[in-house]
Amino acid sequence: MIKHLKTVLLALLLLLPALSNAANRMSRVYMYGFACSFNDSTVAFTSIQGVDSCYLQSRTGFLVSRDNYSYQLRDYLKSKGVTDATCIVVFSPKRKKVEKRYAKMLKRYEHPKKGNFIVKKISNADFKFSGIEPYDSVAASGGKAKGKKAKQK
């Protein structure tokens, strides 16, 4: 009886990485980045981009490793001399939803009565998000490095 229980537990332990990977599904996601600094009145918007190799949580639809996408924008801005930027990423699998959020947020910062912000737009030629494979799927696929960014095309 105990031998069978150990065998079943061992099998479950071996299947756990594959099951955790099933919780994430790869999808095309539309996103844009926003950056602002509390030391400056300049804000930056990337253009809306479609990123193919993004992973969404199956249950919640939330972007896996979303902080790493904002770090991509932060690192780009650091290379351009902007050191104190706080960056966020807005995403959705539906382009219309992202376009609506983009327009609303852009209107908020370009509105002359709501503040004197300098809005800078970052084009796709200057900056492009690259897909990130989640830590679990790299480990489950036998990859050696965890959390590596997908290769840019």
Side-chain angles (χ1 to χ4, degrees):
M1 177 73 177
I2 294 179
K3 286 185 180 183
H4 294 295
L5 184 60
K6 286 183 181 179
T7 305
V8 170
L9 288 175
L10 181 61
L12 286 174
L13 187 62
L14 292 174
L15 289 175
L16 189 61
L19 292 174
S20 67
N21 191 26
N24 299 329
R25 60 177 161 64
M26 189 163 56
S27 177
R28 181 173 179 84
V29 172
Y30 297 95
M31 66 174 69
Y32 70 90
F34 170 77
C36 68
S37 174
F38 297 108
N39 299 333
D40 195 352
S41 61
T42 303
V43 296
F45 286 87
T46 67
S47 56
I48 297 173
Q49 302 174 13
V51 183
D52 288 326
S53 54
C54 292
Y55 286 82
L56 297 175
Q57 292 176 351
S58 296
R59 191 171 49 92
T60 62
F62 219 64
L63 185 64
V64 176
S65 298
R66 61 198 166 277
D67 54 338
N68 290 322
Y69 292 99
S70 62
Y71 293 157
Q72 288 178 22
L73 179 57
R74 182 197 63 190
D75 293 343
Y76 166 77
L77 291 171
K78 275 188 181 178
S79 73
K80 297 297 181 187
V82 180
T83 56
D84 297 326
T86 301
C87 302
I88 64 164
V89 175
V90 179
F91 67 93
S92 177
K94 298 178 182 176
R95 184 172 181 91
K96 281 217 180 262
K97 193 171 184 179
V98 171
E99 287 173 348
K100 187 176 178 181
R101 289 180 184 172
Y102 184 84
K104 184 177 179 180
M105 198 168 185
L106 188 61
K107 183 179 176 183
R108 180 182 305 152
Y109 284 96
E110 287 183 334
H111 196 283
K113 293 182 181 178
K114 294 207 177 183
N116 296 325
F117 292 101
I118 301 167
V119 177
K120 293 189 177 182
K121 295 184 182 174
I122 302 169
S123 69
N124 282 348
D126 295 331
F127 172 77
K128 192 152 182 74
F129 288 108
S130 60
I132 298 173
E133 195 169 345
Y135 297 120
D136 292 344
S137 65
V138 173
S141 66
K144 293 180 182 177
K146 291 186 176 182
K148 282 223 162 194
K149 293 179 185 175
K151 291 181 183 178
Q152 288 186 345
K153 297 175 184 175

